[in-house]
Amino acid sequence: VGEQFIGRIVNPLGEIMDGLGPLKPDAMYPIFIDAPSILERKELSRTLETGLKVVDAMIPVGFGQRELILGDKMTGKTTICTDTILNQKNTGVLCIYCAIGKSYSALSKVVQLFLDHDCFEYSCIVAALASAPPGQLYLAPYVACAIAEYFLHKGKHVFIAFDDFTKHAWSY
């Protein structure tokens, strides 16, 4: 984990996938750790603005809160995640997009969207493509969480999107 992960695309083993040269981590974080107890957590006091007026008005998402986006295929779940990341520009929120079992072409569309909107200034992508071994599909969300926790422990706000947990469940 480390600051150099921002702006990069890595696989669950920490290997670069973007061809932008070597990546030097600042620290090693465990990927299987216990979540803090309810009593250790702070109460919700600030909302994360997704940029989607309907979501922000009806279901405000608080910092530290977990939300699950459920829906059938092709209903816009990925769009909600990517639009939320696009909306975090200049907010100080770091974003991690975790692609689990996506095809290369689907990941390419997200990468191009991030490039077009300069999202890599405050984002990184952890990707286990559909062609990856099941072990990487299984590890991807844990690795993304470890990267997020590094920044969390540095006092930064982090938004993390897991896309798609169905592929993770299959590998599990």
Side-chain angles (χ1 to χ4, degrees):
V1 297
E3 300 289 335
Q4 289 189 4
F5 280 75
I6 298 298
R8 301 302 297 269
I9 305 169
V10 297
N11 72 11
L13 302 178
E15 299 167 339
I16 58 167
M17 296 177 66
D18 54 17
L20 297 177
L23 183 65
K24 186 175 184 287
D26 295 332
M28 300 291 277
Y29 264 47
I31 58 173
F32 298 111
I33 60 171
D34 293 330
S37 70
I38 298 294
L39 297 175
E40 294 178 63
R41 300 178 193 183
K42 296 178 183 175
E43 65 181 52
L44 301 178
S45 60
R46 182 175 165 205
T47 60
L48 175 86
E49 295 185 15
T50 65
L52 303 164
K53 292 179 183 180
V54 172
V55 173
D56 291 339
M58 293 177 56
I59 316 162
V61 179
F63 278 93
Q65 183 177 344
R66 295 176 177 103
E67 288 290 335
L68 181 62
I69 303 168
L70 296 172
D72 292 331
K73 290 181 180 182
M74 306 301 292
T75 56
K77 299 178 298 294
T78 298
T79 302
I80 291 172
C81 294
T82 55
D83 284 355
T84 300
I85 292 171
L86 294 176
N87 195 56
Q88 301 316 305
K89 189 172 190 170
N90 301 321
T91 64
V93 176
L94 297 176
C95 300
I96 299 171
Y97 178 81
C98 182
I100 309 165
K102 291 278 189 196
S103 66
Y104 182 81
S105 62
L107 180 62
S108 295
K109 289 177 185 177
V110 172
V111 169
Q112 190 59 51
L113 179 71
F114 282 17
L115 288 170
D116 292 345
H117 293 90
D118 299 321
C119 292
F120 280 114
E121 294 173 9
Y122 56 92
S123 302
C124 78
I125 296 176
V126 176
L129 297 175
S131 60
Q136 287 190 28
L137 296 172
Y138 172 73
L139 289 176
Y142 295 104
V143 171
C145 280
I147 295 169
E149 287 170 358
Y150 169 80
F151 291 112
L152 179 71
H153 293 143
K154 294 266 186 192
K156 299 179 180 179
H157 293 292
V158 182
F159 171 77
I160 184 167
F162 301 106
D163 191 18
D164 149 8
F165 261 139
T166 301
K167 305 295 189 322
H168 179 261
W170 290 348
S171 67
Y172 182 78

